[in-house]
Amino acid sequence: MERVNTSKRLAHLRDLMKERKLDIYVVPSEDSHQSEYIAPCDARREYISGFSGSAGCAVITLDKAALATDGRYFNQASKQLDDNWTLLKQGLEDVPTWQEWTTEQAEGGKKVGVDPTVITAPEARKLSESLKKKAGSSLIGERENLVDHVWGADRPPRPKEKVMVQPEKYSGNKFQSKLEEVRKELDKKKAAGIIISMLDEVAWLFNLRGSDIPYNPVFFSYAAVTLTTARIYVDSNKLTDEVKDHLGTDVEIRPYDSLLSDLTAMSESAPIAKDANATASAPVLKKKYLISTRASWALGLGLGGEEQVDEIRSPVGDAKAIKNATELQGMRSCHIRDGAALSEYFAWLEETLVQRAETLDEVQAADKLEAIRSKREHFMGLSFDTISSTGPHAAVIHYKPERGNCSTIDPKAIYLCDSGAQYLDGTTDTTRTLHFGNPTGMEVKAYTLVLKGVIALDRAIFPKGTTGFALDSFARQHLWREGLDYRHGTGHGVGSFLNVHEGPIGIGTRSQYSEVQLSAGNVLSDEPGYYEDGNFGIRIENMIMARETSTEHNFGDKPWLCFEHVTMVPMCRKLIDPALLTSEEKTWLNDYHREVWEKISEFFKDDQRTTDWLQRETKEI
Amino acid sequence: MERVNTSKRLAHLRDLMKERKLDIYVVPSEDSHQSEYIAPCDARREYISGFSGSAGCAVITLDKAALATDGRYFNQASKQLDDNWTLLKQGLEDVPTWQEWTTEQAEGGKKVGVDPTVITAPEARKLSESLKKKAGSSLIGERENLVDHVWGADRPPRPKEKVMVQPEKYSGNKFQSKLEEVRKELDKKKAAGIIISMLDEVAWLFNLRGSDIPYNPVFFSYAAVTLTTARIYVDSNKLTDEVKDHLGTDVEIRPYDSLLSDLTAMSESAPIAKDANATASAPVLKKKYLISTRASWALGLGLGGEEQVDEIRSPVGDAKAIKNATELQGMRSCHIRDGAALSEYFAWLEETLVQRAETLDEVQAADKLEAIRSKREHFMGLSFDTISSTGPHAAVIHYKPERGNCSTIDPKAIYLCDSGAQYLDGTTDTTRTLHFGNPTGMEVKAYTLVLKGVIALDRAIFPKGTTGFALDSFARQHLWREGLDYRHGTGHGVGSFLNVHEGPIGIGTRSQYSEVQLSAGNVLSDEPGYYEDGNFGIRIENMIMARETSTEHNFGDKPWLCFEHVTMVPMCRKLIDPALLTSEEKTWLNDYHREVWEKISEFFKDDQRTTDWLQRETKEI
């Protein structure tokens, strides 16, 4: 990993800070849409600090600079940061959060600047209050991004990839119907309109897809919907005639950069709330615009600030998380093709490493997997960087092998592969952990306990109203009994030919997961694990879809839910200790393997290697 | 249940509202300490509305009156409210919350009054914001309570019961050491001091107990602790010489009513925050006082308002929830005596109803239980109203039989008894469901599934960091599989000779339970159930204590926890279907019954009836 000398960049930035009378400048990782993955032009935190990890925040004072990141990146950050920087290891006891560090530095009436387009309104508010209460200082939303200024001509241009239509045979719903649903919500909330800022929400709402951001089929855009109008803010050069026809007269196309100025006009002309009686002491109340709690501070300010907006969990995000029958069918279909690709790959990998005893590194293997996948129907690219990891690397939860500088795969060690793809009809994300030699007793035990967790969550039956927080411990209970655990969530929402991680649902102990109920149509991952630093790692990940089920008693007036698994790849027989499985778990495993065989064996009529492998791995236990 | 004519009271109240230029007046249920149980003098909501349930809020406009309460009380409220009142059934779809109803009524610049001592600061702030944003109206903290004014001479006096010392042999810790811990917290938070407003927190902190509130051994008081001082606000007539000696010179005794005026003085003389640099643009920052998020709005206002206080979850409540070795030992001891009392009662009840075929109503039975309990060592009264319920009444989760107007116990139906007592060395809360005849298949199935839930939570092993929210589904999973569930939490914290319900911990889906980690020393109930309206109800409740345990692998650097059960009363054999139990569950049940026999059989050397009953009920399955 290269280390950048940031002295010049910091000196330039500090000059700009002095010009603008700022004592401190905050550089978050996020883009203006709070995207998980960002385009190169938005990598401001990386540019100013030299640290290239996906998460973190840089804070620069006139004589200090700090970079805060979490446990995944302590190692990488300490390698990449030069001497100008202090690393704030977030989550360690006695290490301040970046907000606390900023507040400490700001004591005594300092001015702290941040680009209000790359920080959410709730985050800005919290920081602003802390600065005010604890340091007597203030947060300034500085419209021009100072890092962009330092970056100058070297800054990559904003992507200008073409936008495509996601046809109804895959989306299952006209965008006009989706707009109707949004408008019902506006009506219910007596709102003037809604501004949509998350890229996947805009893409989903209008049945469009793009390729501006790696792995995420989205495009730079905003949307504004009122009871009578719908606008999409996007560089019109990206729109093909097909897209323009698709949007027709229902949607007005506006330049991407004109959102903020439009917001001010929209706010000023917001309709009067119908129940308000204007009197001298009570001024006329205008209807408010809805924005997501993840919308940028700039967006809230543009609409007239806190008093003029209702910050809510996005109803578009909520609707997107409930897949319709077409999307669910697409998920089933693409997981069969994807499962076939993974099986073909694993059979090839075993033959290459064991029978042919060839040397293969982690990236070469991942490349082969991508080559196999890319032949499958409707393939549109990977859904994230493939985690192809051997031995101790499997214990690094977010491991990414570096091309030309990674390990060769040890056929005598655990191999963990976490990968996924984008297809026109859905998005996949699958993890399998394999062993090509003789696993240790502990590896078998850990794998079997993780598998028991996968099964426990998969078999869960629960009433509507249950949250993912409440189900998380089902996947952990068998590990817990032995004093084992994993330091990540159990499941995340998955898009339909959209982002592989999507909210608001998930299975784990994030506070949001205790607030959002699971619903029929939710698609989630089921991925417990176990990791022994420096030794080995286990993760098994299936995709599961919540659906209504009938129970013996159906107590109460709410529907009862269960999960349907759609991932179709065998578990690793060599790593399963049948003695640790209950009879219910064995039945589940045999049923699962029978289903995998039935659904994917037909792909290998002319491929004896994969057929043999699949037969062996799906045999009844 | 009697119905009060509230016309005159409301007319008087509306006159007072007009005098004070208030359009709306809010009357919450709570006292100034947010107590769960209140003294008669604080039952203002009951006085003004006629509704005597424990939860609800009354809102009175100049021409309307609404009473909001939850599902437990829909029936009772509709019987007790006269025609002046509209019942707002909270939790039903399309029924506004009382805050929403108030906001609707307030549209157009109205003034809404509330006594700021009986609403928490966060609640007042939320209501105030909603009134301002949605109705252009304002919330006024009206110091004098208008209902007290209407009530006049009929209002019962504030209790003046004597306060007693809780000696170290039961509390396990000197109050001076507890004060030291509080001061460490003040130091860590750089706070000027802390104001303690919850009655059980004051009692716990100073090792004192009282009897001002039914079932809760607390007394009306506040405390204020700084780095160098400690004050208790209490009517000094309540303090015996022993109590005064106990407090000595470490604690200053101040009149209960002088808190609010003292707060203003304390706030004005708060020490300067040491890191602040005063400049023209940044005024001197004072250290802030800590108050609980459950402290009253008046308390926050007294300290100078939001800017001058830090609202936090009370560190005293957190410390109180972690019992020391003496308190845990007291819990074990009092549960053995209490378990013996319950067993004696159940044996007597069976003989009375079955062998002697006598008629007995629900209250008569509860009285007998109290009489048996009161003979046990260290008995100090009940810890809550005994739920003694036959047949369909067992399905009413918060059932309270009315003396002289309750059912006779049907020996052919389910009998559910949820009861507890206060002892000098601890507080108990136990539920057992019995059947004296031939239970139906569904009753046996439901009981067994509930028992499986009790066992699943009891046997849980989990890492430190796990919350009660995450464990809740363990107790529900077996019911869920059959499509059954219960509409209440699984567990609540329990005090040590203090309130039978105490925070901040608990097992269930309240949002707080997802924020507070369980710790060794926590004492909780484990009480799943199943209720069939109009038919029968099942609940089994044991008390469990979290403690550290050693696991096979002890992964990570955190302690691993398990539960120890302290309730010593047999399960109902007749209601258990052994075919539904796994071998682990049978082992648990046999171990539990062996422990019960070993610990309580010695109480019955001269009581053949109870010995026989106990022997039969604890026999190996």
Side-chain angles (χ1 to χ4, degrees):
Chain A
M1 259 168 278
E2 69 171 329
R3 171 180 288 198
V4 181
N5 182 336
T6 61
S7 300
K8 271 192 190 165
R9 297 175 187 181
L10 285 171
H12 189 170
L13 177 65
R14 285 176 177 133
D15 286 344
L16 294 171
M17 286 161 61
K18 283 175 207 154
E19 260 176 38
R20 283 156 178 84
K21 305 206 187 316
L22 295 176
D23 303 289
I24 300 177
Y25 192 66
V26 176
V27 186
S29 293
E30 285 70 24
D31 67 9
S32 301
H33 308 273
Q34 295 286 312
S35 306
E36 184 187 8
Y37 293 76
I38 56 174
C41 60
D42 288 321
R44 297 165 179 117
R45 194 263 300 132
E46 173 175 349
Y47 175 77
I48 199 68
S49 71
F51 164 64
S52 66
S54 72
C57 183
V59 185
I60 300 98
T61 73
L62 293 176
D63 57 359
K64 292 180 199 162
L67 184 283
T69 190
D70 64 64
R72 287 174 291 170
Y73 293 115
F74 292 166
N75 223 327
Q76 179 178 340
S78 59
K79 282 183 188 150
Q80 290 187 312
L81 294 175
D82 71 11
D83 293 344
N84 292 298
W85 293 85
T86 303
L87 174 58
L88 300 177
K89 295 182 174 181
Q90 304 295 279
L92 293 197
E93 225 172 318
D94 299 328
V95 174
T97 63
W98 69 262
Q99 291 92 339
E100 287 166 350
W101 191 85
T102 304
T103 306
E104 279 169 25
Q105 301 303 317
E107 261 168 15
K110 302 262 169 70
K111 293 209 183 315
V112 180
V114 67
D115 175 355
T117 71
V118 296
I119 188 169
T120 67
E123 281 165 354
R125 198 156 50 232
K126 217 172 143 194
L127 181 58
S128 173
E129 277 167 19
S130 157
L131 288 170
K132 188 175 155 201
K133 281 183 86 167
K134 296 193 182 137
S137 298
S138 55
L139 184 69
I140 315 282
E142 182 71 27
R143 271 301 161 85
E144 192 193 3
N145 191 297
L146 302 190
V147 175
D148 287 354
H149 204 104
V150 175
W151 213 342
D154 292 341
R155 183 174 171 226
R158 189 157 293 282
K160 294 190 176 302
E161 304 298 321
K162 291 291 179 199
V163 174
M164 57 180 262
V165 173
Q166 174 74 341
E168 204 180 326
K169 68 172 169 170
Y170 300 128
S171 70
N173 200 358
K174 289 191 197 310
F175 76 82
Q176 290 89 345
S177 312
K178 296 180 181 179
L179 284 175
E180 276 318 295
E181 290 304 311
V182 171
R183 286 173 177 141
K184 276 187 200 158
E185 196 65 25
L186 296 180
D187 203 42
K188 211 168 113 189
K189 294 212 151 59
K190 297 178 184 169
I194 181 169
I195 314 303
I196 299 152
S197 52
M198 302 284 288
L199 299 183
D200 61 338
E201 294 185 7
V202 179
W204 175 85
L205 181 60
F206 294 108
N207 291 338
L208 297 174
R209 297 295 185 268
S211 46
D212 283 351
I213 290 192
Y215 306 122
N216 296 167
V218 297
F219 54 98
F220 283 102
S221 54
Y222 295 95
V225 179
T226 71
L227 287 173
T228 52
T229 66
R231 286 174 172 176
I232 185 166
Y233 291 81
V234 59
D235 176 354
S236 64
N237 291 323
K238 293 175 158 185
L239 306 184
T240 59
D241 288 344
E242 192 204 353
V243 169
K244 287 178 185 162
D245 283 352
H246 165 79
L247 294 174
T249 55
D250 294 311
V251 185
E252 185 188 353
I253 298 161
R254 298 275 302 149
Y256 177 68
D257 289 328
S258 66
L259 176 79
L260 290 182
S261 52
D262 273 18
L263 289 185
T264 310
M266 286 164 69
S267 171
E268 280 163 7
S269 63
I272 305 302
K274 82 168 188 288
D275 303 322
N277 277 321
T279 64
S281 64
V284 166
L285 288 177
K286 284 181 177 180
K287 284 192 173 188
K288 295 182 205 327
Y289 282 91
L290 307 179
I291 62 173
S292 156
T293 45
R294 301 186 63 191
S296 72
W297 189 24
L299 211 150
L301 291 174
L303 283 165
E306 233 180 291
E307 302 289 306
Q308 302 303 316
V309 297
D310 267 340
E311 282 171 21
I312 57 168
R313 196 174 74 225
S314 169
V316 178
D318 283 3
K320 175 165 60 62
I322 298 178
K323 273 68 178 169
N324 60 41
T326 307
E327 291 171 314
L328 294 173
Q329 193 49 45
M331 276 290 183
R332 291 186 192 99
S333 305
C334 74
H335 274 87
I336 291 171
R337 296 193 302 278
D338 197 65
L342 275 164
S343 298
E344 184 180 333
Y345 167 64
F346 289 140
W348 169 85
L349 188 62
E350 182 180 299
E351 186 184 274
T352 306
L353 294 172
V354 182
Q355 282 83 43
R356 297 211 307 272
E358 287 178 19
T359 300
L360 206 60
D361 76 21
E362 295 164 328
V363 169
Q364 287 169 331
D367 286 348
K368 175 70 176 185
L369 171 56
E370 184 170 356
I372 293 173
R373 264 195 172 114
S374 65
K375 291 179 302 186
R376 295 281 159 214
E377 198 184 2
H378 302 325
F379 178 83
M380 299 295 288
L382 299 185
S383 57
F384 59 97
D385 271 323
T386 296
I387 299 178
S388 165
S389 53
T390 181
H393 289 165
V396 182
I397 296 170
H398 292 88
Y399 181 70
K400 186 191 162 184
E402 248 185 293
R403 187 172 298 279
N405 191 23
C406 62
S407 295
T408 56
I409 297 175
D410 179 355
K412 296 197 187 65
I414 284 275
Y415 173 71
L416 185 155
C417 181
D418 185 349
S419 68
Q422 297 289 359
Y423 298 92
L424 283 178
D425 50 354
T427 301
T428 70
D429 181 0
T430 304
T431 309
R432 285 296 181 267
T433 304
L434 309 177
H435 203 296
F436 305 109
N438 297 309
T440 65
M442 184 60 194
E443 286 168 341
V444 170
K445 182 178 179 181
Y447 185 93
T448 310
L449 295 173
V450 169
L451 176 61
K452 284 165 80 80
V454 170
I455 297 172
L457 180 57
D458 182 289
R459 291 185 69 230
I461 290 174
F462 50 94
K464 173 88 174 114
T466 303
T467 63
F469 197 122
L471 297 185
D472 179 64
S473 48
F474 282 167
R476 298 180 196 269
Q477 58 183 328
H478 301 290
L479 287 159
W480 280 357
R481 190 153 288 282
E482 304 285 321
L484 303 175
D485 200 6
Y486 48 95
R487 295 193 182 101
H488 59 70
T490 299
H492 55 81
V494 180
S496 175
F497 183 31
L498 267 176
N499 297 357
V500 74
H501 295 158
E502 69 168 28
I505 47 154
I507 294 170
T509 56
R510 279 194 203 180
S511 66
Q512 182 172 276
Y513 298 161
S514 71
E515 292 155 14
V516 191
Q517 303 177 2
L518 297 177
S519 304
N522 287 161
V523 180
L524 295 141
S525 68
D526 170 6
E527 49 173 321
Y530 171 69
Y531 310 91
E532 234 174 73
D533 278 353
N535 198 357
F536 73 94
I538 306 274
R539 184 164 59 255
I540 304 175
E541 177 182 23
N542 270 1
M543 209 67 70
I544 54 179
M545 315 197 304
R547 63 173 169 79
E548 288 195 22
T549 186
S550 174
T551 62
E552 178 79 16
H553 296 286
N554 289 313
F555 172 76
D557 41 12
K558 9 184 186 184
W560 286 80
L561 302 177
C562 69
F563 291 118
E564 170 189 343
H565 42 250
V566 288
T567 303
M568 289 295 139
V569 185
M571 303 297 170
C572 180
R573 295 192 69 84
K574 202 181 260 185
L575 284 164
I576 299 171
D577 178 358
L580 296 179
L581 300 180
T582 64
S583 64
E584 285 90 353
E585 289 164 344
K586 279 182 199 160
T587 302
W588 183 95
L589 189 64
N590 287 330
D591 288 349
Y592 180 69
H593 278 152
R594 190 175 317 112
E595 190 181 353
V596 171
W597 172 262
E598 281 164 8
K599 288 192 169 152
I600 71 171
S601 58
E602 60 169 330
F603 283 83
F604 309 112
K605 297 231 165 76
D606 305 320
D607 175 352
Q608 196 58 41
R609 178 176 65 208
T610 309
T611 300
D612 290 348
W613 181 88
L614 196 61
Q615 208 153 29
R616 189 190 74 204
E617 292 296 305
T618 60
K619 209 172 56 192
E620 187 157 292
I621 215 159
Chain B
M1 258 169 279
E2 69 171 332
R3 172 180 287 198
V4 181
N5 183 336
T6 60
S7 300
K8 271 193 190 164
R9 296 174 187 181
L10 285 172
H12 189 170
L13 177 66
R14 285 178 176 133
D15 285 344
L16 294 170
M17 286 162 61
K18 284 175 206 154
E19 260 177 36
R20 283 157 177 83
K21 305 204 187 319
L22 296 176
D23 303 288
I24 300 176
Y25 191 65
V26 176
V27 186
S29 294
E30 285 72 24
D31 68 9
S32 300
H33 307 274
Q34 294 286 311
S35 306
E36 185 188 7
Y37 293 77
I38 56 174
C41 62
D42 289 321
R44 296 163 181 120
R45 194 263 301 131
E46 175 176 349
Y47 175 76
I48 199 66
S49 71
F51 165 62
S52 67
S54 72
C57 184
V59 185
I60 299 97
T61 73
L62 293 176
D63 57 359
K64 291 181 199 161
L67 184 285
T69 190
D70 64 65
R72 286 175 291 170
Y73 294 116
F74 291 166
N75 226 326
Q76 179 178 339
S78 59
K79 282 183 190 150
Q80 291 187 312
L81 295 175
D82 70 12
D83 292 343
N84 291 298
W85 293 84
T86 303
L87 174 58
L88 300 176
K89 296 184 174 181
Q90 304 295 277
L92 294 197
E93 224 171 318
D94 299 328
V95 174
T97 64
W98 69 261
Q99 292 91 340
E100 286 166 350
W101 191 85
T102 304
T103 306
E104 279 169 26
Q105 301 303 316
E107 261 168 17
K110 301 263 169 69
K111 292 210 185 312
V112 181
V114 68
D115 174 355
T117 72
V118 295
I119 188 169
T120 67
E123 280 165 354
R125 198 157 49 234
K126 218 172 144 193
L127 180 58
S128 171
E129 276 167 19
S130 157
L131 287 170
K132 188 174 154 204
K133 281 183 85 167
K134 297 193 181 137
S137 299
S138 54
L139 185 68
I140 317 282
E142 181 72 25
R143 272 299 160 86
E144 193 192 2
N145 191 297
L146 302 191
V147 176
D148 289 353
H149 205 103
V150 175
W151 213 343
D154 291 341
R155 185 176 169 224
R158 188 157 294 282
K160 293 190 176 302
E161 304 297 322
K162 292 291 179 200
V163 174
M164 59 180 262
V165 174
Q166 173 76 340
E168 204 179 327
K169 68 171 168 170
Y170 299 128
S171 70
N173 200 357
K174 289 190 196 313
F175 77 80
Q176 290 88 345
S177 311
K178 295 181 182 178
L179 284 175
E180 276 317 296
E181 291 303 311
V182 171
R183 286 173 176 141
K184 275 187 199 159
E185 198 64 27
L186 296 180
D187 203 44
K188 212 169 113 187
K189 295 212 149 61
K190 298 179 185 169
I194 182 169
I195 314 302
I196 299 152
S197 52
M198 302 284 288
L199 299 183
D200 61 337
E201 294 185 7
V202 179
W204 175 85
L205 181 61
F206 293 109
N207 292 338
L208 297 174
R209 298 293 185 271
S211 48
D212 283 350
I213 289 191
Y215 307 120
N216 296 168
V218 297
F219 54 96
F220 283 101
S221 56
Y222 295 95
V225 179
T226 70
L227 287 173
T228 52
T229 65
R231 286 174 172 176
I232 185 166
Y233 290 82
V234 60
D235 176 354
S236 64
N237 291 322
K238 293 175 158 185
L239 306 185
T240 60
D241 288 345
E242 193 205 351
V243 169
K244 286 178 184 162
D245 282 355
H246 165 80
L247 294 173
T249 55
D250 292 315
V251 185
E252 185 187 353
I253 298 161
R254 298 274 303 147
Y256 177 69
D257 289 330
S258 66
L259 177 79
L260 290 182
S261 52
D262 274 20
L263 289 185
T264 309
M266 286 165 69
S267 172
E268 279 162 6
S269 63
I272 305 301
K274 82 168 191 289
D275 302 324
N277 278 318
T279 65
S281 64
V284 167
L285 287 177
K286 285 183 177 180
K287 284 192 173 188
K288 294 181 208 325
Y289 281 91
L290 307 180
I291 61 173
S292 155
T293 44
R294 299 186 64 192
S296 73
W297 189 24
L299 210 152
L301 292 173
L303 283 164
E306 233 182 292
E307 302 288 307
Q308 302 303 315
V309 298
D310 265 341
E311 282 170 22
I312 57 168
R313 195 175 74 226
S314 169
V316 177
D318 283 2
K320 176 165 58 61
I322 298 179
K323 271 69 178 170
N324 60 42
T326 306
E327 291 172 313
L328 294 174
Q329 193 50 46
M331 276 289 182
R332 289 187 193 100
S333 304
C334 74
H335 274 87
I336 290 171
R337 295 194 301 280
D338 197 66
L342 275 164
S343 297
E344 186 181 331
Y345 166 65
F346 289 142
W348 169 85
L349 188 62
E350 183 180 298
E351 188 184 273
T352 307
L353 294 172
V354 181
Q355 281 83 46
R356 298 213 304 274
E358 288 178 18
T359 299
L360 205 62
D361 77 21
E362 294 165 329
V363 169
Q364 287 168 330
D367 286 347
K368 174 72 177 182
L369 172 55
E370 184 169 358
I372 293 174
R373 264 195 172 113
S374 65
K375 291 179 301 185
R376 296 280 160 215
E377 198 184 2
H378 303 326
F379 178 83
M380 299 295 287
L382 299 185
S383 58
F384 59 97
D385 272 323
T386 295
I387 299 178
S388 166
S389 52
T390 181
H393 289 165
V396 182
I397 296 169
H398 292 87
Y399 180 70
K400 187 190 162 185
E402 247 185 293
R403 187 172 300 279
N405 191 24
C406 62
S407 296
T408 56
I409 297 175
D410 179 355
K412 298 197 186 67
I414 284 276
Y415 173 70
L416 185 155
C417 180
D418 186 350
S419 68
Q422 297 288 359
Y423 299 92
L424 283 178
D425 50 353
T427 301
T428 70
D429 182 0
T430 304
T431 309
R432 286 295 180 269
T433 303
L434 309 178
H435 203 295
F436 305 110
N438 297 309
T440 66
M442 185 59 195
E443 286 168 341
V444 170
K445 182 178 179 181
Y447 185 94
T448 310
L449 294 173
V450 169
L451 176 61
K452 285 166 78 82
V454 170
I455 297 172
L457 180 57
D458 182 289
R459 290 184 70 230
I461 290 175
F462 51 93
K464 173 88 174 113
T466 302
T467 63
F469 196 122
L471 298 185
D472 178 64
S473 48
F474 282 167
R476 297 181 197 269
Q477 59 183 327
H478 302 290
L479 287 160
W480 280 357
R481 188 155 290 282
E482 303 285 321
L484 303 176
D485 199 8
Y486 48 96
R487 294 193 181 101
H488 59 71
T490 299
H492 55 81
V494 180
S496 176
F497 184 29
L498 268 176
N499 297 356
V500 73
H501 295 157
E502 69 168 29
I505 47 156
I507 294 170
T509 55
R510 276 193 206 181
S511 66
Q512 182 173 274
Y513 298 162
S514 71
E515 291 155 14
V516 191
Q517 303 177 3
L518 297 178
S519 303
N522 287 160
V523 180
L524 295 142
S525 68
D526 171 6
E527 49 174 319
Y530 171 68
Y531 310 92
E532 233 174 74
D533 279 353
N535 198 357
F536 73 94
I538 305 274
R539 183 162 63 255
I540 303 174
E541 177 181 24
N542 270 0
M543 209 66 68
I544 53 178
M545 316 198 302
R547 63 174 169 78
E548 288 196 20
T549 187
S550 174
T551 61
E552 177 81 15
H553 296 286
N554 288 312
F555 172 76
D557 41 12
K558 9 183 185 185
W560 286 79
L561 302 177
C562 70
F563 291 117
E564 171 189 342
H565 43 251
V566 288
T567 303
M568 289 294 139
V569 185
M571 304 297 171
C572 179
R573 296 190 69 83
K574 203 179 258 185
L575 285 164
I576 299 171
D577 179 358
L580 295 179
L581 299 179
T582 64
S583 64
E584 285 89 354
E585 289 163 345
K586 280 183 198 159
T587 302
W588 183 95
L589 188 64
N590 287 328
D591 289 349
Y592 180 69
H593 278 153
R594 192 175 316 113
E595 190 181 352
V596 171
W597 172 262
E598 282 165 7
K599 288 191 170 152
I600 71 170
S601 57
E602 58 169 332
F603 284 83
F604 309 112
K605 297 232 166 74
D606 305 320
D607 175 354
Q608 196 58 41
R609 178 176 66 209
T610 309
T611 300
D612 289 348
W613 181 87
L614 196 61
Q615 208 153 28
R616 189 190 76 204
E617 291 297 303
T618 61
K619 209 172 55 190
E620 187 156 295
I621 214 156

